Amino acid sequence: MSDALTGSVRAAVAAVTDPELRRPLGELDMVRDIAVSGTTAEVGIALTIVGCPAADRIERDVRDAAASVAGIEAVEIRVGVMSPDERKALTAKLRGGRAKREMPFGPDSLTRVIAVTSGKGGVGKSTVTANLAVALAAKGLRVGLIDADVHGFSIPGLLGLVDADGLPPAPTKLDDLILPPVAYGVKVISIGMFLRRPGEDAAGAVAWRGPMLHRTVQQFLTDVFFGDLDVLLLDMPPGTGDVAISVGQLLPHADVLVVTTPQAAAAEVAVRSGLVARQTGQRPIGVIENMAAMTLPDGTVLDLFGAGGGAEVARALSSADADVPLLASVPLSPALRAGGDDGRPVVLSHPDDPAARAIDAAASTLAVRPRGLAGKPLRLGV
């Protein structure tokens, strides 16, 4: 009976998911000795690093899992830390057995990569990207989000990944792997998570040129452990500068989603970002018009930034070979703005808001296309 009970406790503990790696503890070799004496379970676990930020949650979840086994009334937890060799073996396992760093989002990957771009700043591209990521995750997709707007990073704040001072948390490092924080089911990485200095209450500014920007994007794609993703979104900087060129080189197979406002001047510039993406081999898949007309409580319509810009961008980017649709027209919304300031995406906090419904509709359209092997080379052994 004791052996059976011990086995039940081990199975329950092994099924607990590491909140950062998003895999069961048993699969990660984090479960140690387990013994049952009477109705008390003694459980040993090994954390990945000293000071693991998820330590309290892991210990709580392990305690709850062990206590859920019939016949267990008390649980004692012993917490240790992996040895360097164990961490090395774990990082190799997370990389799929590959010892060296490789970018996992190449042309053979089943992850759909979508770069969200705009011709100019101030059109709400980051707000749209953050809400789109959360909406996709809410539909059951595994979503990663890279804040590639290195000079104007804002994704952590939009997703509430900030402390009381408004600063993003530093991500956990597992040897040379970076574990991205998770918000609303989305794995997120941003340069803002690396800029806080001891004693300072504000994140530093980034004053980098092309080579440093390229290296940063490359490191986000290579060294950040996103795991198995259905969709990877990149919040691109506005315009067609160094980062856009680097992403075109690193991810020439990526899809591109263009964000604009209805204003003709913004739409004209937005077309250029889509054309440059196409020159690198990327494929424009749609346009989202933000800050469109809103209906006021008295029924009047306020088109503060005009009308028709999104449709014009979609028309300009469409060709005989590929139609580029207008995926959504997102109206001006106080709830959308407030959600961005508070770190609570409107698609979750106010799902019935017109802006939330528009973004969710765009997410539904993007989520329809499943991952698949179509067009992927199959490396079959002889």
Side-chain angles (χ1 to χ4, degrees), residues 24-344:
L25 300 187
E27 181 181 328
L28 299 172
D29 298 323
M30 294 173 65
V31 182
R32 295 296 183 259
D33 293 337
I34 293 179
V36 175
S37 177
T39 59
T40 300
E42 298 178 359
V43 179
I45 56 174
L47 302 177
T48 53
I49 59 172
V50 176
C52 173
D56 290 342
R57 178 174 170 181
I58 293 174
E59 183 174 349
R60 182 177 66 251
D61 291 349
V62 165
R63 187 180 302 278
D64 292 343
S68 70
V69 176
I72 299 299
E73 298 179 0
V75 180
E76 297 178 0
I77 307 291
R78 299 187 304 276
V79 180
V81 179
M82 285 185 168
S83 68
D85 287 343
E86 289 173 329
R87 282 196 299 274
K88 184 177 180 180
L90 176 58
T91 55
K93 176 183 289 188
L94 294 175
R95 287 197 174 105
R98 299 183 299 272
K100 68 175 184 176
R101 303 176 183 178
E102 292 182 9
M103 202 271 283
F105 303 111
D108 297 344
S109 171
L110 297 183
T111 299
R112 187 180 189 187
V113 180
I114 302 176
V116 185
T117 185
S118 67
K120 59 187 296 184
V123 301
K125 168 187 53 61
S126 296
T127 298
V128 168
T129 306
N131 277 274
L132 194 61
V134 172
L136 288 167
K139 296 179 187 303
L141 276 67
R142 289 165 292 192
V143 182
L145 174 53
I146 292 178
D147 188 355
D149 193 353
V150 178
H151 291 126
F153 56 88
S154 58
I155 290 294
L158 292 169
L159 292 178
L161 281 173
V162 292
D163 60 18
D165 295 322
L167 299 177
T172 302
K173 293 184 178 180
L174 181 60
D175 290 344
D176 57 358
L177 279 184
I178 300 170
L179 308 184
V182 180
Y184 305 106
V186 178
K187 295 182 178 181
V188 184
I189 198 69
S190 170
I191 193 63
M193 298 172 180
F194 301 88
L195 297 180
R196 185 171 188 171
R197 299 178 177 86
E200 295 184 359
D201 58 1
V206 176
W208 294 343
R209 287 184 170 177
M212 283 294 292
L213 296 173
H214 180 90
R215 183 178 177 183
T216 298
V217 174
Q218 186 174 41
Q219 186 172 10
F220 282 170
L221 291 168
T222 303
D223 292 349
V224 177
F225 178 71
F226 287 104
D228 186 26
L229 295 179
D230 295 303
V231 181
L232 175 66
L233 294 171
L234 286 87
D235 181 40
M236 300 289 290
T240 56
D242 290 324
V243 172
I245 295 172
S246 291
V247 171
Q249 294 172 341
L250 295 167
L251 301 166
H253 58 289
D255 293 333
V256 173
L257 183 62
V258 179
V259 178
T260 184
T261 65
Q263 186 179 11
E268 179 183 351
V269 180
V271 171
R272 299 174 197 162
S273 65
L275 293 177
V276 167
R278 183 172 282 155
Q279 290 172 10
T280 67
Q282 297 173 331
R283 182 173 69 102
I285 58 167
V287 176
I288 292 182
E289 181 183 72
N290 192 34
M291 304 183 193
M294 68 179 297
T295 302
L296 300 177
D298 63 0
T300 58
V301 175
L302 175 64
D303 54 350
L304 188 62
F305 293 101
E312 177 57 27
V313 174
R315 185 201 63 76
L317 292 178
S318 294
S319 65
D321 298 327
D323 178 58
V324 178
L326 177 62
L327 295 179
S329 185
V330 183
L332 286 164
S333 166
L336 179 63
R337 190 276 308 163
D341 290 342
D342 297 338
R344 295 183 296 114

